[in-house]
C-alpha cells in the first residue's frame, strides 16, 4: 500500500509529516528510515501528547501486512540510572498488556515491544472504528440503549482488569473505541505504561513517579493527588457515559453549590431513573460513596433494578412514554398497565370518558401504538404486548372484528373465566399470566371488563405486526 507522506520518528520534531519519498525530514533533518525495526512501515501520525506519539503502521513481517498501532514513548528523565529503571518497568508493563490483550477481546492485543534510539515502542492491535468522542460529535448524543451496552462491556473489562490489581486511570471518551463491524467498545491506552515514562529517583535513591496519570474533568479527586483506587475508574466511566448521553464534557456541567455534585439530569431527560441513579452513584465525590468494585456496578445493571433499555423513541407530539418505560423496566406490571391506559386515553383525547371505543381504536396514532407495543414486548421478553394479542387473535380466534371473537380472545389470554369477563382486580399482573394477558390498552381500567368489546378494532391495525 502506498502512502502520501513519510513520517519523521524524531520525538522532538515539530512537523513530522513529509512528502512521500523524502529522505531527510524537512523540519529537523532526521534521516527518514523507510521502516521501523526493519518491519513496521509508518503510515500516519494518529496523535501526540506529553508521553510520546502514536502512529498507524503496517506490519510487513506478516503475510497480510496487517495494520497496527505503534506507541512511541519517551522517558522524562534523561540519565542512565533512570533509563535502566524505565527499561525494567517497561518490560514488566508490556508483559501485563500482553496478558490483558490475550484474555479480553475488549482490550487491544500486544504484538511487539522494543527500544530504538533511546525511545520505547509498543506495537498493538489496530481497532477499526471510531472513538466515543468521534461518535458523539458525528451523530449526536447516544441513546440509553447504546450507553447501557457500553457500560456493560466496559464494566466487564474493568472487573477483569481490577482483579489483576490494575487500575486503568485514564478512562474517557477518547479511550473507548467502538468497533465498526459490531459497535463493541474496546478500552485502550492504559495508564501504567505512561507512568513508567515518568519514573524519577528521589534524593534517597528511591524510584518514584513524577507524574499523575489521568485527564482533568474525568479524573477523580483522589487520583489527582496520585492515590487512584478501583472506584476512580468507575468515576471516570460514569462521566464518560454522561458525556455520551448529553454531549457535554465534565467542565461544561454545572456543580451543586452545596454538595459539589455534577448537575446533569436536565441534559438527558429521556434517561431512565434506574440508569440515572447508577451513574449518580458512580460519580460521587468521595470513593466511599461510590461503587467500590466494577462487579457491584455491573450487578446492579444486570439486576431487576436496571433492565436493559429498549431503543425506541419515548416521546411523540401527543404522548410521553418515559414513565411507562420506567415502570416496565421495574417489572411493575399493574402500574405499567394503568399508565398505558392513561397515556392512551390522553393521546386519543378521551380522558374524561375513561375508555376507548371502536372509533378511537381505528384512529389511534400509529407511531404511539407502535411505541407502546414495543415497550411491552421487549420488557416482558415477548410475553406481553399488543402484537402478542394480535397473533392469538388471528391464529387462535379467527381474527374477526366482532364480539364473539373478542370473547374467544378473552378466554385465551385470561380476561374471561366461566363465560364471564373478569373484573380488573381479578387479572394476573405477573409473568405467570397467560401470553398476551397485558396490556389492557385503555379498556376496562375504570369499570372492569364487563361489556367490553371492540378489541379487534385495535389489533387489526397495520402498525402492529403479527408477532
Amino acid at each position: 500500500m502506498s502512502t502520501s507522506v513519510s513520517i519523521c520518528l524524531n520525538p522532538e520534531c515539530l512537523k513530522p509529516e513529509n512528502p512521500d519519498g523524502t529522505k531527510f525530514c524537512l523540519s529537523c533533518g532526521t534521516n527518514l528510515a523507510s521502516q521501523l525495526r526493519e518491519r513496521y512501515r509508518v503510515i500516519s501520525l494518529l496523535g501526540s501528547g506529553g508521553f510520546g506519539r502514536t502512529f498507524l503502521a503496517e506490519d510487513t513481517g506478516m503475510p497480510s501486512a496487517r495494520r497496527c498501532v505503534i506507541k512511541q514513548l519517551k522517558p522524562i528523565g534523561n540519565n542512565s540510572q533512570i533509563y535502566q529503571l524505565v527499561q525494567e518497568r517497561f518490560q514488566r508493563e508490556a508483559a501485563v498488556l500482553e496478558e490483558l490483550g490475550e484474555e479480553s477481546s475488549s482490550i487491544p492485543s500486544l504484538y511487539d515491544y522494543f527500544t530504538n534510539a533511546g525511545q520505547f515502542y509498543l506495537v498493538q492491535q489496530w481497532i477499526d472504528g471510531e472513538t466515543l468522542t468521534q461518535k458523539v460529535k458525528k451523530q449526536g448524543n447516544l441513546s440509553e440503549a447504546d450507553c447501557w451496552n457500553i457500560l456493560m462491556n466496559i464494566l466487564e473489562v474493568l472487573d477483569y482488569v481490577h482483579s489483576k490489581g490494575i487500575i486503568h486511570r485514564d478512562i474517557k471518551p477518547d479511550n473507548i473505541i467502538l468497533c465498526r463491524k459490531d459497535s463493541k467498545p474496546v478500552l485502550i491506552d492504559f495508564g501504567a505504561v505512561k507512568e513508567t515514562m515518568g519514573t524519577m529517583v528521589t534524593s534517597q535513591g528511591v524510584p518514584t513517579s513524577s507524574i499523575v496519570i489521568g485527564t482533568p474533568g474525568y479524573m477523580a479527586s483522589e487520583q489527582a493527588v496520585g492515590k487512584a483506587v478501583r472506584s476512580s475508574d468507575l468515576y471516570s466511566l460514569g462521566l464518560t457515559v454522561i458525556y455520551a448521553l448529553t454531549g457535554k464534557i465534565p467542565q461544561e456541567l454545572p456543580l451543586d453549590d452545596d454538595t459539589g455534585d455534577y448537575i446533569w439530569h436536565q441534559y438527558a431527560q429521556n434517561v431512565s431513573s434506574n440508569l440515572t441513579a447508577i451513574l449518580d452513584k458512580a460519580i460521587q465525590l468521595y470513593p466511599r460513596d461510590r461503587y467500590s468494585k466494577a462487579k457491584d456496578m455491573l450487578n446492579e445493571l444486570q439486576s431487576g433494578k436496571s433492565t436493559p433499555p429498549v431503543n425506541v423513541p419515548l416521546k411523540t407530539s401527543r404522548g410521553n412514554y418515559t414513565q411507562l418505560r420506567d415502570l416496565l423496566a421495574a417489572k411493575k406490571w399493574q402500574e405499567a398497565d394503568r399508565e398505558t391506559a392513561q397515556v392512551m386515553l390522553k393521546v386519543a383525547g378521551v380522558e374524561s370518558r375513561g375508555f376507548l371505543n371502536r372509533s378511537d381504536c381505528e384512529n389511534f396514532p400509529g407511531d404511539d401504538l407502535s411505541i407502546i407495543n414495543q415497550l411491552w414486548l421487549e420488557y416482558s421478553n415477548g410475553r406481553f404486548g399488543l402484537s402478542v394479542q394480535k397473533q392469538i387473535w388471528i391464529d387462535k380466534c379467527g381474527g374477526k372484528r366482532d364480539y364473539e371473537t373478542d370473547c374467544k380472545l378473552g378466554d385465551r389470554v385470561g380476561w374471561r373465566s366461566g363465560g364471564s369477563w373478569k373484573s380488573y382486580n381479578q387479572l394476573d399482573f405477573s409473568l405467570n399470566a397467560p401470553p398476551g394477558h397485558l396490556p389492557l390498552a385503555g379498556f376496562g381500567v375504570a369499570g372492569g371488563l364487563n361489556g367490553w368489546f371492540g378489541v379487534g378494532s385495535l389489533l387489526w391495525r397495520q402498525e402492529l405486526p403479527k408477532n
Side-chain angles (χ1 to χ4, degrees):
M1 181 185 296
S2 63
T3 179
S4 59
V5 295
S6 294
I7 304 297
C8 176
L9 298 178
N10 175 8
E12 306 297 334
C13 184
L14 299 178
K15 297 180 179 180
E17 295 183 342
N18 294 270
D20 190 24
T22 305
K23 293 185 178 180
F24 296 92
C25 178
L26 300 179
S27 176
C28 68
T30 299
N31 185 10
L32 300 178
S34 59
Q35 293 184 349
L36 185 61
R37 212 186 189 192
E38 298 184 352
R39 176 171 179 171
Y40 303 107
R41 186 158 68 88
V42 176
I43 297 173
S44 63
L45 176 67
L46 294 178
S48 60
F51 303 100
R53 298 182 296 179
T54 304
F55 305 100
L56 179 63
E58 288 178 341
D59 184 355
T60 63
M62 299 297 291
S64 63
R66 66 185 178 190
R67 289 194 168 189
C68 55
V69 171
I70 297 180
K71 295 183 180 295
Q72 180 193 60
L73 302 164
K74 179 184 177 183
I76 292 178
N78 57 6
N79 64 54
S80 58
Q81 180 186 10
I82 291 176
Y83 185 87
Q84 181 64 32
L85 287 170
V86 170
Q87 191 169 35
E88 293 172 0
R89 287 188 172 187
F90 178 70
Q91 290 174 342
R92 290 199 300 269
E93 296 303 336
V96 171
L97 286 177
E98 181 184 25
E99 180 183 2
L100 295 180
E102 287 177 349
E103 294 295 327
S104 174
S105 61
S106 294
I107 299 173
S109 299
L110 179 70
Y111 293 153
D112 195 3
Y113 75 101
F114 56 90
T115 59
N116 182 67
Q119 309 302 312
F120 294 81
Y121 292 87
L122 293 174
V123 183
Q124 292 182 291
Q125 176 187 6
W126 174 63
I127 306 300
D128 183 16
E130 56 188 354
T131 67
L132 187 54
T133 300
Q134 293 169 331
K135 181 87 169 178
V136 171
K137 287 184 176 180
K138 184 172 73 173
Q139 74 170 45
N141 302 346
L142 271 57
S143 69
E144 179 174 350
D146 289 337
C147 290
W148 192 91
N149 289 327
I150 291 171
L151 260 180
M152 290 290 293
N153 279 277
I154 299 301
L155 283 171
E156 289 177 353
V157 174
L158 290 179
D159 182 46
Y160 165 67
V161 169
H162 290 169
S163 73
K164 299 292 184 180
I166 299 165
I167 300 171
H168 186 283
R169 285 184 286 183
D170 200 16
I171 297 175
K172 59 183 178 180
D174 285 341
N175 284 343
I176 294 177
I177 296 179
L178 304 176
C179 295
R180 203 174 307 280
K181 64 177 181 179
D182 57 9
S183 295
K184 184 175 181 179
V186 175
L187 185 60
I188 65 170
D189 216 9
F190 282 72
V193 175
K194 294 179 183 178
E195 186 179 45
T196 296
M197 295 301 114
T199 299
M200 300 294 287
V201 177
T202 67
S203 58
Q204 290 78 30
V206 178
T208 185
S209 179
S210 63
I211 54 177
V212 173
I213 304 299
T215 300
Y218 294 99
M219 180 168 44
S221 57
E222 71 277 2
Q223 185 176 333
V225 293
K227 302 292 185 180
V229 294
R230 290 176 301 188
S231 70
S232 305
D233 279 347
L234 305 183
Y235 178 92
S236 301
L237 178 59
L239 285 170
T240 295
V241 173
I242 289 172
Y243 166 78
L245 288 168
T246 66
K248 293 186 177 296
I249 62 175
Q251 291 87 339
E252 294 174 329
L253 296 172
L255 295 176
D256 186 287
D257 291 336
D258 296 323
T259 65
D261 293 337
Y262 283 107
I263 301 173
W264 64 276
H265 297 177
Q266 69 266 37
Y267 304 112
Q269 295 182 358
N270 288 332
V271 178
S272 69
S273 57
N274 298 315
L275 182 58
T276 299
I278 288 172
L279 293 177
D280 279 344
K281 184 172 180 178
I283 63 170
Q284 288 297 298
L285 183 61
Y286 299 108
R288 64 172 179 267
D289 297 324
R290 304 177 204 141
Y291 298 97
S292 61
K293 297 182 292 185
K295 189 67 173 179
D296 294 340
M297 190 171 173
L298 184 62
N299 285 341
E300 190 150 334
L301 274 173
Q302 292 174 326
S303 73
K305 295 179 181 179
S306 185
T307 304
V310 181
N311 196 10
V312 297
L314 295 175
K315 288 184 180 180
T316 67
S317 60
R318 297 160 296 272
N320 185 332
Y321 300 94
T322 303
Q323 178 67 9
L324 175 59
R325 186 272 312 275
D326 290 348
L327 291 170
L328 289 170
K331 310 299 183 187
K332 296 181 178 180
W333 305 115
Q334 184 167 5
E335 293 91 334
D337 188 66
R338 291 183 179 276
E339 174 66 16
T340 300
Q342 294 304 316
V343 74
M344 290 188 74
L345 294 173
K346 182 177 180 180
V347 168
V350 293
E351 289 178 280
S352 59
R353 187 205 301 154
F355 65 91
L356 299 175
N357 61 26
R358 187 186 302 273
S359 176
D360 299 327
C361 293
E362 292 174 346
N363 295 290
F364 196 86
D367 52 348
D368 291 81
L369 195 63
S370 179
I371 290 171
I372 292 168
N373 178 57
Q374 289 181 68
L375 289 172
W376 274 97
L377 192 65
E378 294 293 336
Y379 282 109
S380 67
N381 292 321
R383 192 166 191 82
F384 301 143
L386 299 172
S387 59
V388 178
Q389 296 168 0
K390 181 173 184 175
Q391 181 173 359
I392 297 170
W393 177 63
I394 293 175
D395 293 348
K396 304 296 183 181
C397 306
K400 295 181 180 179
R401 295 167 61 188
D402 57 35
Y403 183 70
E404 181 181 356
T405 304
D406 290 348
C407 290
K408 290 179 181 179
L409 178 64
D411 292 333
R412 286 278 183 178
V413 301
W415 295 334
R416 284 166 48 94
S417 179
S420 300
W421 294 95
K422 293 180 178 179
S423 69
Y424 186 71
N425 290 332
Q426 290 177 310
L427 299 178
D428 186 351
F429 296 99
S430 76
L431 288 175
N432 294 322
H437 192 66
L438 299 173
L440 270 294
F443 291 95
V445 174
L449 302 183
N450 192 28
W452 176 29
F453 66 94
V455 64
S457 297
L458 189 66
L459 300 184
W460 74 274
R461 295 285 300 274
Q462 295 299 313
E463 292 86 357
L464 297 176
K466 182 182 174 182
N467 203 42

